[in-house]
Every structure is written in structure tokens, then in C-alpha cells.
């Protein structure tokens, strides 16, 4: 088999890269270890930055997003029992859209298949060779046959636990946080239109939503939390305590999903090794507090597609040579913002009163200073690509 770009991973990064390349006349093959049904159903991030929404519309993927997405013009910071709204539209003239990652994946798969894209699910035993100048991807297909895909470039979009990053030895910057999120997806209509980030003496909580009928809610818990210790009634009681504010009500309903997710910051530098280019979670992880994960992946592949187009058209490698540095500038900005949001909103495990006072000071400053609120709004809604 032969193609121009071999893409490992059919998440938002790999699928969008394949779509962008097809629009530029560049061939690709996408390889994915999971089934199509699995990747279309796994629930991940749900906040799309303004530049992400603009890009999806620009490349013909905005129809269902505009019909079913939930535009938000601000968020709330909730502490000491009071709600403080950060008005994105007033501060920076743009907002965000709540539209689940799995919905973006569904849209991309449908479009790639309709356009004749080559997507291969349920592959296994993937190997990467010849990364210096003649890349080859080996894999076993869904029928159990061993295959070999020769290509000019490999895009490693296979996530944090994928094989791509392990194919070389980048410098790694890593931080694990001493807390996790217990998240639930509940069949309960949202009672407010926008997200609320709560700092409470019991710990952080996040009020979010996925649709007009489904809410997504999170509680700060220790990383070693056993879900058996958190029956549904305990979760709802704790959410009610941490999210409490004047005029706020919390709808309860059947819990559709429940899980505990650890939190870390991770960056691998460089994001390139020979003809292998990392994108998305394969190269970087951010704590979810800043809502940056999927948006960073989409920004990566936009840069990569724009670099690959002149390379295949006329052999111009300048964009490829600049790829890692270009992406990492955005990555480190997002890492800092996500760390800042996380440290401002989560309680220290040791209950240190000094740290608690610093958090409250930062929260008061953020909601009373237009300059501080603007900085939050600018970063949250997304810096220009």
C-alpha cells in the first residue's frame, strides 16, 4: 500500500487532518485501533473555542454544529456562596460552543467516508519504521491480515498512550496533580445556560452540559478514589453543597455514566522526529479545567496541514521545519492557562490555609478587575490560530 500521509489514530486530530489534506488534494490513510462505534461513542471534551468553531465551519463541518451546538457567551466563577459571571462577549467579543468531542468525531467520520476517505478501524500490532526518510507503517487489519503502508509522512495522532511518541525520545515535561475529577453524565435538563466553576471548602465542582436534556458534572476527589464509595445520592448531595449559590437549583436525574479521571500536565518536545509529526494528546496533555485538550489537537493539525500542502505541491519544507516550534508556543500558553485555572479552583489536599487565602484573593481579583477578567476570557475562548 502507498499513500502520501499515514495517520495513526482516528480521534479529532487524525480525522480532521485527513479532511484538511483531502481538501488540499493530498492523499491519506487513517488507522485506528478501536472500532468505529467505540470512537463515536467515547465521551470526552465538550467545549469548542471560537477559532475551532470558525475552522470547522470554514471546512464544511459546521452544519450540525450550528444546529445542535450550544453557544455560550460567558462562564461563572462561584465561590463563598456567590456567583460571578465572566462576560466573554463584552470582554473580548467572542464566546465558546458546547458540542461534544464525540459529535465532532461523528461529523468527521461521516464526511470522510462520504468523500471516499480511507479509514481503517480495528487495526492492531502497529509498527513505525523508516522515520528518517522512508516511513513505513506495519499493522494487522481487522481481518487478521498483516499489511504494510508506505508513505512520505506519518502523523502520530494516537493519543497519550499510543505508539507514536514512543518511536523516539523527546524531552518530556510532566506534572501529576494531587487530585482527580469524579465525573457524571446525567439525564437531567440544565438549570442554567452556561458553565459554572466552583471553588468550595469541600473542593472544586464544575457544572456543565452536553445538550438541553443532559448535564455533565464534576467533583474534585483524591486520585485513588473508589467509585464504590460514591453512590449516586452521595454525588448529588455533594454537588448541591459545592455548587450552592443564591437562585441556583440543581436538577437531578438518572446517572448515565460515571468515572474518575486523573489530572496531569504533559509536553513532549520536539513534536517532530524525521518524517514523524506528533499532534494532539500524543504530544501534550492539559488538565481539563481550562477546556483546551481537543482545541489544541485541532490547532496542531491545522498547522500541520498548512505545512504539508506546500511540501507536496512544490517540495517546500519550511512549514514542516517550523511545525514543532509553532505548535509549542500555543501549547505552553494553554498549559499555563490550564495550570492557572486548576490551581485557582482546586483545594490543596493538605488543606493549607495559606494556599486557600491565595486562591480566594485571586478569585476576587479576577471577578473585580476588568483586565484580569479579560485575560481569562481571551484565553478561555481561544487565541487566534
Amino acid at each position: 500500500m502507498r499513500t502520501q500521509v499515514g495517520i495513526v489514530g482516528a480521534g479529532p486530530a487524525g480525522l480532521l487532518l485527513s479532511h484538511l489534506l483531502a481538501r488540499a488534494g493530498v492523499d491519506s490513510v487513517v488507522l485506528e485501533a478501536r472500532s468505529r462505534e467505540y470512537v463515536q461513542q467515547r465521551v470526552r471534551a465538550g467545549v469548542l473555542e471560537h477559532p475551532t468553531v470558525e475552522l470547522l465551519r470554514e471546512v464544511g463541518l459546521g452544519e450540525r454544529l450550528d444546529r445542535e451546538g450550544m453557544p455560550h457567551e460567558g462562564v461563572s466563577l462561584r465561590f463563598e456562596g456567590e456567583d460571578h459571571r465572566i462576560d466573554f462577549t463584552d470582554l473580548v467579543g467572542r464566546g465558546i460552543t458546547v458540542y461534544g468531542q464525540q459529535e465532532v468525531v461523528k461529523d468527521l467520520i461521516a464526511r470522510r467516508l462520504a468523500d471516499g476517505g480511507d479509514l481503517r478501524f480495528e487495526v492492531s500490532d502497529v509498527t513505525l519504521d523508516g522515520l528518517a526518510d522512508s516511513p513505513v507503517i506495519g499493522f494487522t487489519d481487522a481481518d487478521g491480515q498483516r499489511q504494510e503502508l508506505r508513505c512520505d509522512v506519518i502523523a502520530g495522532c494516537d493519543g497519550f498512550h499510543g505508539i507514536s511518541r514512543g518511536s523516539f525520545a523527546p524531552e518530556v515535561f510532566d506534572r501529576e496533580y494531587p487530585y482527580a475529577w469524579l465525573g457524571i453524565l446525567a439525564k437531567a435538563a440544565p438549570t442554567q445556560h452556561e458553565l459554572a466553576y466552583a471553588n468550595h471548602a469541600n473542593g472544586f465542582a464544575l457544572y456543565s452540559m452536553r445538550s438541553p436534556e443532559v448535564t455533565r458534572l464534576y467533583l474534585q476527589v483524591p486520585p485513588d478514589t473508589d467509585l464504590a464509595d460514591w453512590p449516586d445520592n452521595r454525588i448529588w448531595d455533594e454537588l448541591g453543597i459545592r455548587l450552592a449559590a443564591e437562585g441556583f437549583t440543581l436538577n437531578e436525574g438518572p446517572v448515565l455514566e460515571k468515572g474518575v479521571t486523573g489530572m496531569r500536565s504533559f509536553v513532549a518536545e520536539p513534536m517532530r522526529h524525521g518524517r514523524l509529526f506528533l499532534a494532539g494528546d500524543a504530544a501534550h496533555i492539559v488538565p481539563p479545567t481550562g477546556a483546551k485538550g481537543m482545541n489544541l489537537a485541532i490547532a496542531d493539525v491545522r498547522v500541520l496541514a498548512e505545512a504539508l500542502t506546500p511540501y507536496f505541491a512544490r517540495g517546500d519544507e519550511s512549514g514542516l521545519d517550523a511545525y514543532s516550534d509553532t505548535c509549542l508556543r500555543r501549547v505552553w500558553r494553554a498549559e499555563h492557562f490550564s495550570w492557572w485555572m486548576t490551581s485557582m479552583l482546586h483545594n490543596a489536599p493538605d488543606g493549607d490555609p495559606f494556599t486557600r487565602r491565595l486562591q480566594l484573593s485571586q478569585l476576587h481579583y479576577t471577578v473585580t478587575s476588568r483586565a484580569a477578567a479579560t485575560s481569562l476570557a481571551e484565553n478561555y475562548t481561544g487565541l487566534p490560530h
Side-chain angles (χ1 to χ4, degrees):
M1 298 168 55
R2 184 77 174 81
T3 193
Q4 290 173 293
V5 181
I7 300 173
V8 186
L15 292 167
L16 181 59
L17 177 61
S18 180
H19 179 67
L20 295 175
L21 292 175
R23 287 170 56 87
V26 177
D27 294 330
S28 67
V29 174
V30 180
L31 306 175
E32 168 58 45
R34 302 285 192 166
S35 68
R36 175 181 176 181
E37 292 73 21
Y38 181 90
V39 300
Q40 289 187 155
Q41 293 173 5
R42 56 186 171 192
V43 177
R44 294 290 188 272
V47 172
L48 302 185
E49 295 176 346
H50 180 73
T52 298
V53 173
E54 285 192 318
L55 174 62
L56 294 176
R57 288 172 176 159
E58 177 187 325
V59 299
L61 296 166
E63 181 180 352
R64 196 163 72 94
L65 165 63
D66 287 333
R67 185 174 66 249
E68 300 180 15
M70 304 171 70
H72 288 196
E73 298 180 345
V75 295
S76 292
L77 296 182
R78 192 169 293 176
F79 57 97
E80 296 182 322
E82 296 185 3
D83 194 78
H84 306 266
R85 184 169 182 266
I86 306 295
D87 190 329
F88 294 157
T89 304
D90 173 57
L91 294 164
V92 294
R94 59 182 184 269
I96 54 96
T97 300
V98 172
Y99 189 66
Q101 175 174 312
Q102 72 274 18
E103 305 305 326
V104 175
V105 167
K106 289 175 189 174
D107 294 342
L108 281 163
I109 290 176
R111 175 56 64 89
R112 291 304 300 126
L113 294 177
D115 292 345
D118 194 340
L119 310 182
R120 306 195 178 209
F121 296 96
E122 299 181 80
V123 308
S124 58
D125 304 317
V126 177
T127 59
L128 307 182
D129 296 295
L131 299 180
D133 50 16
S134 301
V136 179
I137 306 176
F139 65 97
T140 300
D141 65 22
D143 296 323
Q145 300 297 311
R146 192 64 186 169
Q147 305 284 356
E148 197 172 75
L149 176 64
R150 297 184 177 275
C151 45
D152 299 291
V153 167
I154 297 175
C157 306
D158 50 346
F160 183 77
H161 298 290
I163 68 159
S164 296
R165 190 179 65 253
S167 299
F168 68 112
E171 184 176 6
V172 167
F173 303 87
D174 196 7
R175 169 174 294 182
E176 292 193 33
Y177 294 85
Y179 29 73
W181 278 11
L182 191 166
I184 65 168
L185 196 68
K187 189 170 179 56
T191 56
Q192 68 175 50
H193 175 60
E194 296 171 342
L195 280 69
Y197 290 80
N199 176 303
H200 188 273
N202 288 13
F204 167 78
L206 172 60
Y207 184 90
S208 182
M209 60 288 295
R210 284 296 178 268
S211 76
E213 296 82 30
V214 175
T215 49
R216 184 73 163 158
L217 305 113
Y218 298 94
L219 291 169
Q220 175 188 344
V221 294
D224 59 354
T225 292
D226 185 346
L227 278 177
D229 295 332
W230 284 87
D232 295 356
N233 62 330
R234 182 186 177 191
I235 293 173
W236 288 116
D237 288 346
E238 191 62 25
L239 284 167
I241 292 170
R242 298 189 194 183
L243 291 168
E246 184 177 354
F248 174 77
T249 58
L250 179 66
N251 271 354
E252 298 183 14
V255 175
L256 307 175
E257 291 184 16
K258 184 191 304 185
V260 175
T261 303
M263 301 179 67
R264 75 189 308 160
S265 295
F266 177 92
V267 181
E269 295 187 9
M271 292 170 57
R272 174 189 183 177
H273 176 68
R275 293 294 164 184
L276 169 65
F277 297 83
L278 304 181
D281 287 0
H284 42 73
I285 296 285
V286 291
T289 326
K292 294 293 162 224
M294 176 171 55
N295 294 290
L296 278 180
I298 287 175
D300 286 347
V301 297
R302 180 176 195 166
V303 174
L304 184 54
E306 290 175 351
L308 288 169
T309 301
Y311 169 69
F312 286 112
R314 54 183 182 275
D316 181 355
E317 297 195 30
S318 58
L320 296 179
D321 292 339
Y323 170 74
S324 183
D325 288 342
T326 300
C327 290
L328 285 169
R329 282 195 294 272
R330 186 182 193 89
V331 167
W332 279 112
R333 175 86 296 274
E335 290 284 357
H336 181 271
F337 176 70
S338 300
W339 164 83
W340 176 76
M341 287 280 286
T342 300
S343 61
M344 178 174 66
L345 291 163
H346 291 74
N347 289 0
D350 60 3
D352 175 32
F354 186 81
T355 299
R356 177 73 177 152
R357 296 301 191 279
L358 291 177
Q359 288 177 323
L360 292 174
S361 174
Q362 181 64 59
L363 284 163
H364 279 291
Y365 176 63
T366 301
V367 301
T368 57
S369 164
R370 186 174 180 87
T374 299
S375 178
L376 188 155
E378 182 179 49
N379 282 275
Y380 197 97
T381 59
L383 301 172
H385 283 170

